[in-house]
Amino acid sequence: MDNPKNQEIKNAAFQLAGLIYGISLDGVITKNEYEALKSWCWENEPLCELESFQNLHSQIKPIIDDGKVNTEEIEELKDILNKFLEENGADTSSAPNLYFLNGIFKGILASGDVNTYEIYKLNQWLEKNEHLKSSAPFDEMFTLIASVLEDKKVDDEEAKQLKAFFSNLIK
């Protein structure tokens, strides 16, 4: 992939991977979360001028366009994305990037609710990626999530705080 737009294509794919991760954290896919997936398709459609992205988009769009997305389809989307990223030289095993994190935040916020289970799952992801603690915005996020989970639940005030934090980081 020698085209200068290739990084943009990888970033869009990483964002979708994060969005899917964020949406699937609580195991329930709401109408708003489905709308976030549709929005990703629409926002990234201009990248279809490039053949590699057109191939990805043409596999993902029919799954999303049928009106709902179930858990099996989420798994199928993950497989399609992983294969795409692998084929296009994106190392999915290295440190997750900000586009992936941005997608996670969009996925969590899409439901309109930040719940305890989602934050526990996000915390598990953070623990697996502890090497990110030393870089922004991860450093602040580690501290915030630890503080919120101190009492083992997310109350209304903490949910507002998390929503504000996630919203500020979404590009």
Side-chain angles (χ1 to χ4, degrees):
M1 293 184 94
D2 298 318
N3 189 301
K5 282 209 165 216
N6 288 338
Q7 193 56 50
E8 194 176 342
I9 289 170
K10 288 178 192 174
N11 291 345
F14 274 122
Q15 184 183 43
L16 179 59
L19 178 62
I20 290 169
Y21 184 88
I23 284 171
S24 61
L25 280 175
D26 62 2
V28 178
I29 299 143
T30 66
K31 182 172 174 27
N32 286 345
E33 290 169 332
Y34 165 74
E35 291 298 327
L37 288 170
K38 272 180 56 176
S39 179
W40 180 91
C41 280
W42 180 80
E43 288 168 13
N44 290 287
E45 206 161 307
L47 292 173
C48 286
E49 67 189 41
L50 302 165
E51 188 180 340
S52 63
F53 192 80
Q54 171 61 43
N55 291 338
L56 173 68
H57 200 266
S58 67
Q59 291 177 66
I60 288 173
K61 198 167 181 332
I63 295 170
I64 294 170
D65 276 352
D66 77 357
K68 63 184 174 5
V69 178
N70 62 34
T71 355
E72 293 80 27
E73 289 171 319
I74 288 288
E75 290 308 313
E76 185 180 347
L77 289 171
K78 286 179 186 176
D79 291 343
I80 291 167
L81 267 170
N82 287 337
K83 186 176 179 213
F84 172 81
L85 287 165
E86 193 177 294
E87 286 172 356
N88 290 285
D91 184 5
T92 54
S93 65
S94 68
N97 63 34
L98 289 176
Y99 291 93
F100 184 82
L101 186 63
N102 181 288
I104 291 175
F105 292 161
K106 281 186 175 184
I108 290 173
L109 291 172
S111 69
D113 181 35
V114 177
N115 66 50
T116 303
Y117 187 72
E118 286 174 323
I119 301 308
Y120 265 107
K121 295 298 268 182
L122 178 58
N123 191 51
Q124 286 177 341
W125 181 85
L126 289 171
E127 287 171 356
K128 285 182 196 165
N129 294 283
E130 201 166 312
H131 59 281
L132 299 171
K133 256 187 183 171
S134 59
S135 57
F138 298 100
D139 53 351
E140 193 179 340
M141 188 168 55
F142 274 92
T143 306
L144 177 60
I145 300 289
S147 161
V148 165
L149 291 178
E150 224 168 3
D151 63 357
K152 305 206 182 327
K153 65 180 175 30
V154 178
D155 64 33
D156 290 345
E157 197 51 47
E158 290 166 333
K160 283 181 194 166
Q161 200 180 2
L162 288 164
K163 280 182 184 179
F165 179 80
F166 296 159
S167 296
N168 285 338
L169 291 175
I170 291 178
K171 293 177 174 75

